[in-house]
Amino acid sequence: MHKNRFTRIGFILAAAGSAVGLGNIWKFPYIAGENGGGVFVLVYLATVLFIGMSIFIGEVLLGSYAHKDAVTTFETHSPSKKKYWKFSGFTFLTGVFILSFYAVVVGWIFNYVVVAATALPANVQEAESVFMSLLQKDVWTQIFYYTLAFIVIAYTISRGVKKGIEKLNNILMPTLIIILAVLLIYSVQLDGFTQALSFMFSPNIDKFKSGSIIVAVGHAFFTLSIGMVTILTYAASLDKGVNIVKASLTIVIMDTLIAIVAGLIIFSILFSAGQEPGKGAGLVFITLPAVFYEMGSIGTVLAIAFFVALAFAAVTSAVSVLEPTVMYLVERRGMKRKKATYSVSVIFYIIGIFTLLSNTTAFSSLLTFGGKNLFDWFDFISAAILMPIGGIIVAVFVGYIMDQKVAREALVPYIGENLYKVWLFIMRVVAPIAVLLVMLNEMGVISF
Ligand code: PHE
């Protein structure tokens, strides 16, 4: 076995660690809440299972076949006259947008582990003022935790695939799963559980706004970490001989289950306390802490468990956002891993400071344009635009550009000829067309 590569289980945990993150536990419940639950969840699930999973398999296929950084991977697979396809590898630059708001949220979470352990806010008003003052006024507290988050992320990446990424995920992912399982068992017994179930799964067409579809589709890409060569890069460190379809399926199912479980936990707790899920991005930082407080000492334990789980999920994802850029610098530019990590981290860190400041009262007007501040723009640009475009690129590349023998030989032994054809059809036709139509529709270019 190659010395700096994942074991099979190491890869599954690391890729699942990348997929399962803020998207599942922080974002999914609040965007589902904002978009009325039901129909939104169904569009998201359909996109994940058909389009998302196919592209996920495509990225794992490319990565595990080439064993190289993303740019080199696209380059080696391009036909000789179409070497410009190598530029697809640079979709790792989407990571700049993601990490610069993602790491800010990781900072809030680190802060909330402390809040949970020391002083939960006593009611929703107080919770709102705690969160809003962190966000808008306590700039230094925010910068402190944000810096801490970046140090953890950069340190892990600087240690490399085996000693950094694999080790981190081997510890954090199983712990995360155990915590969520315990929280789920607790939630099932709450009065609000059935209401949570029906909120998430009964289609409520009225609440499904225009704009909801692109949020749902964008979220499907975001939650699986596809469309910015993260999964491709992790798969490049995977040894040969692994059933990539089974591994991909396991990861996608894990990611989906964890989003649903997180939603059920959060909505059960909210509904049991008579609260509504409409608080937007503040849902888990405002409503939830106040509800935990009302529960007394068990609430404190649950709150700590919840924020620790959220921190674990977020750190394992944040790390994976950085890896593609670092791997590129190491393999193509001959940099030492440590130097590559620290250079990239410093740049990402500084951009993230602007994102962080865009939420503060002092700087928000400077950093707000077109009705969104920088934080919301980066979230929107990466999830709803860049990652779907990156996904289309992978689908078209794997479906049309690269030698078809590669995919056929890698997949047919595992899934057979018929399923392979279904997969290819999704890559060639369904994924590019569906995602493109949704994007054009939402941008107002076409309307259906
Ligand atoms: N999938 C992660 C989440 O759901 C976010 C992410 C996006 C991670 C892109 C890596 C790359 O939180």
Side-chain angles (χ1 to χ4, degrees), residues 18-19 21-24 98 102 222-223 225 228 230 317 320-321 387:
S18 169
L22 293 176
N24 307 59
I98 298 179
Y102 210 90
F222 186 81
T223 193
S225 309
M228 63 146 289
T230 298
S317 299
S320 76
V321 179
M387 295 178 80

Side-chain angles (χ1 to χ4, degrees), residues 240-263:
K240 287 246 182 304
V242 171
N243 181 337
I244 57 173
V245 178
K246 209 164 133 197
S248 303
L249 195 66
T250 312
I251 297 157
V252 172
I253 290 177
M254 239 159 104
D255 184 72
T256 311
L257 276 182
I258 291 183
I260 293 172
V261 165

Side-chain angles (χ1 to χ4, degrees), residues 153-316:
I153 298 162
Y155 176 72
T156 308
I157 288 296
S158 74
R159 309 249 314 149
V161 167
K162 272 258 170 288
K163 288 198 201 123
I165 303 173
E166 178 158 339
K167 207 164 158 196
L168 179 88
N169 281 288
N170 279 352
I171 302 167
L172 299 196
M173 286 308 285
T175 320
L176 168 70
I177 292 170
I178 293 169
I179 297 178
L180 288 178
V182 173
L183 289 174
L184 178 67
I185 294 169
Y186 177 82
S187 309
V188 172
Q189 305 158 6
L190 294 173
D191 297 339
F193 184 73
T194 35
Q195 206 182 333
L197 268 181
S198 85
F199 177 76
M200 282 178 64
F201 296 110
S202 59
N204 186 348
I205 296 280
D206 316 337
K207 290 241 186 78
F208 199 68
K209 302 174 281 198
S210 111
S212 294
I213 297 188
I214 194 162
V215 178
V217 171
H219 187 67
F221 282 82
F222 186 81
T223 193
L224 293 180
S225 309
I226 50 177
M228 63 146 289
V229 298
T230 298
I231 295 302
L232 185 156
T233 303
Y234 269 12
S237 296
L238 177 63
D239 256 327
K240 287 246 182 304
V242 171
N243 181 337
I244 57 173
V245 178
K246 209 164 133 197
S248 303
L249 195 66
T250 312
I251 297 157
V252 172
I253 290 177
M254 239 159 104
D255 184 72
T256 311
L257 276 182
I258 291 183
I260 293 172
V261 165
L264 288 175
I265 293 170
I266 291 168
F267 292 132
S268 304
I269 295 178
L270 286 188
F271 291 142
S272 305
Q275 300 286 346
E276 288 301 317
K279 267 276 175 265
L283 181 65
V284 307
F285 296 103
I286 298 175
T287 327
L288 216 52
V291 174
F292 282 137
Y293 176 86
E294 277 169 24
M295 294 173 162
S297 45
I298 175 92
T300 305
V301 177
L302 292 175
I304 297 173
F306 177 81
F307 284 108
V308 167
L310 194 50
F312 284 8
V315 167
T316 50

